[in-house]
């Protein structure tokens, strides 16, 4: 990020808070996510200044989703100010303690329990019809097509023959059809340990996690975010434990009317197939 842009963001932020610019002489740049946004933590103030390049980031949609989720009682950053033309945002700071740093064997039950309650709350929200796009078969296919292009072709330098291309296409079609049968809910799309903020009261009581990086949310298959949480690329748990967490979620989701009544094996099969789609996508993206 160019120094002139940083200076402009600092001056704009100072104006938003009616403070002098020198307040930001020692603000802290934070490591970014997979997008092009850049974050700065304000010294001794509970805010983050954000530069989101207008050419690549839809800040209007981000702010609209953030406001909607806050109205539903979910812990997401509050939008304090926005200049969409320049790509400047000022948001409340949820902190920098990620779930990933706290997921130990003795704490995972409590942390995932809170995360699952937050997920159930998210899945029961009803956004305006034009707020979120559909996570449809075409979107799922575009995500998976990154795998043969970038992982197989570019990273492995392997050329697929006709039979292999047909086999992959059949696999993709099978996955699309399988996940299309699932209930449609609000999907965060990156509901994992590095996008959940650890929160607790001053007395040490665990609070529902804060949510960040939700700007790519869509309406899509109900197991997607559960897969992101339990089949996290950054965390590995025994298969039996993952199954136990998944079924604990399903029992509550079924009681709350999010899922129809299924046999446990049917639900787990759909969960696993959704996991396959997501990890095919992830291999392509990171390759």
């Amino acid at each position: 990020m160019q120094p002139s842009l940083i200076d402009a963001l600092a001056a704009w932020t100072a104006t938003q808070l009616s403070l002098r610019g020198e307040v930001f002489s020692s603000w802290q740049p934070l490591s970014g996510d997979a997008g092009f946004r850049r974050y700065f933590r304000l010294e001794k103030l509970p805010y983050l200044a954000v530069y989101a390049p207008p050419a690549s980031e839809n800040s209007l949609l981000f702010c609209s989703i953030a406001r909607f989720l806050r109205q539903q009682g979910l812990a997401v950053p509050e939008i304090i100010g926005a200049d969409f033309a320049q790509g400047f945002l000022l948001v409340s700071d949820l902190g920098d303690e990620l779930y990933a740093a706290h997921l130990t064997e003795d704490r995972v039950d409590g942390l995932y329990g809170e995360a699952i309650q937050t997920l159930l709350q998210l899945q029961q929200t009803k956004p305006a019809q034009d707020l979120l796009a559909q996570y449809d078969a075409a979107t799922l296919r575009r995500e998976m097509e990154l795998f043969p292009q970038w992982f197989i072709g570019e990273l492995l330098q392997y050329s697929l023959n006709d039979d292999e291309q047909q086999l992959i296409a059949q696999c993709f079609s099978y996955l699309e059809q399988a996940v299309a049968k699932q209930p449609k809910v609000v999907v965060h799309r990156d509901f994992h340990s590095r996008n959940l903020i650890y929160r607790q009261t001053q007395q040490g009581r665990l609070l529902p996690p804060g949510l960040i990086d939700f700007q790519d949310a869509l309406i899509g298959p109900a197991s997607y975010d559960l897969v992101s949480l339990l089949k996290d690329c950054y965390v590995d748990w025994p298969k039996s434990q993952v199954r136990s967490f998944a079924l604990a979620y399903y029992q509550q989701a079924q009681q709350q009317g999010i899922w129809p009544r299924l046999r446990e094996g049917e639900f787990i099969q759909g969960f696993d197939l959704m996991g396959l789609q997501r990890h095919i996508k992830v291999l392509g993206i990171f390759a």
Side-chain angles (χ1 to χ4, degrees):
M1 187 172 171
Q2 298 175 356
S4 59
L5 270 176
I6 296 176
D7 291 341
L9 176 60
W12 175 84
T13 303
T15 300
Q16 294 295 303
L17 297 174
S18 300
L19 297 170
R20 293 181 300 171
E22 54 263 29
V23 169
F24 309 109
S25 60
S26 60
W27 67 350
Q28 304 171 29
L30 306 179
S31 58
D33 53 25
F36 295 95
R37 291 172 296 278
R38 295 295 176 263
Y39 302 86
F40 298 85
R41 173 166 283 122
L42 278 62
E43 185 179 13
K44 299 179 181 178
L45 293 172
Y47 304 111
L48 293 177
V50 186
Y51 174 61
S56 60
E57 304 298 319
N58 189 340
S59 293
L60 177 59
L61 180 59
F62 170 84
C63 291
S64 298
I65 296 174
R67 288 173 177 135
F68 165 73
L69 294 177
R70 281 185 66 84
Q71 290 170 358
Q72 310 308 307
L74 291 156
V76 302
E78 180 182 2
I79 308 301
I80 309 300
D83 184 326
F84 300 127
Q86 295 190 86
F88 295 166
L89 300 174
L90 181 65
V91 303
S92 61
D93 186 359
L94 297 182
D96 57 2
E97 290 195 63
L98 303 181
Y99 251 48
H102 293 269
L103 281 174
T104 56
E105 288 187 9
D106 60 326
R107 305 193 72 188
V108 63
D109 289 351
L111 289 169
Y112 276 4
E114 289 291 344
I116 285 173
Q117 293 306 310
T118 294
L119 179 56
L120 291 166
Q121 185 179 352
L122 175 67
Q123 292 185 340
Q124 293 180 86
T125 63
K126 304 295 181 185
Q129 191 170 6
D130 59 349
L131 179 61
L132 302 179
Q134 295 292 317
Y135 207 167
D136 54 19
T139 304
L140 290 165
R141 174 62 65 103
R142 284 195 300 271
E143 291 179 342
M144 290 188 289
E145 285 176 345
L146 298 171
F147 170 76
Q149 178 184 357
W150 290 100
F151 183 76
I152 296 177
E154 296 292 335
L155 183 63
L156 301 184
Q157 293 289 298
Y158 181 81
S159 296
L160 295 165
N161 61 37
D162 291 344
D163 288 342
E164 291 165 337
Q165 291 181 33
Q166 183 179 6
L167 181 62
I168 287 177
Q170 289 172 345
C171 173
F172 290 177
S173 294
Y174 178 78
L175 291 175
E176 291 166 14
Q177 294 167 20
V179 301
K181 299 175 184 177
Q182 297 187 12
K184 300 299 183 290
V185 297
V186 174
V187 176
H188 178 289
R189 270 182 109 183
D190 255 339
F191 193 86
H192 59 71
S193 62
R194 295 192 180 187
N195 284 330
L196 299 176
I197 302 296
Y198 176 85
R199 303 190 310 146
Q200 64 177 11
T201 66
Q202 291 184 342
Q203 292 74 35
R205 183 174 66 84
L206 192 61
L207 292 172
L211 302 181
I212 59 173
D213 208 15
F214 47 77
Q215 65 282 339
D216 294 325
L218 294 172
I219 301 295
S223 71
Y224 191 92
D225 283 341
L226 186 69
V227 163
S228 300
L229 178 69
L230 301 181
K231 294 177 180 278
D232 190 338
C233 294
Y234 305 104
V235 184
D236 189 27
W237 300 105
K239 185 176 180 179
S240 60
Q241 195 170 13
V242 170
R243 178 187 174 92
S244 178
F245 285 130
L247 290 176
Y249 154 85
Y250 170 68
Q251 290 167 3
Q252 296 177 76
Q254 193 274 323
Q255 292 169 3
Q256 295 177 20
I258 298 169
W259 279 84
R261 188 177 297 278
L262 301 171
R263 293 193 301 272
E264 287 187 355
E266 290 180 284
F267 173 76
I268 292 296
Q269 183 184 49
F271 170 74
D272 285 339
L273 291 174
M274 190 77 260
L276 181 56
Q277 189 278 337
R278 176 169 168 77
H279 283 85
I280 288 172
K281 177 186 83 168
V282 167
L283 278 171
I285 287 175
F286 286 94

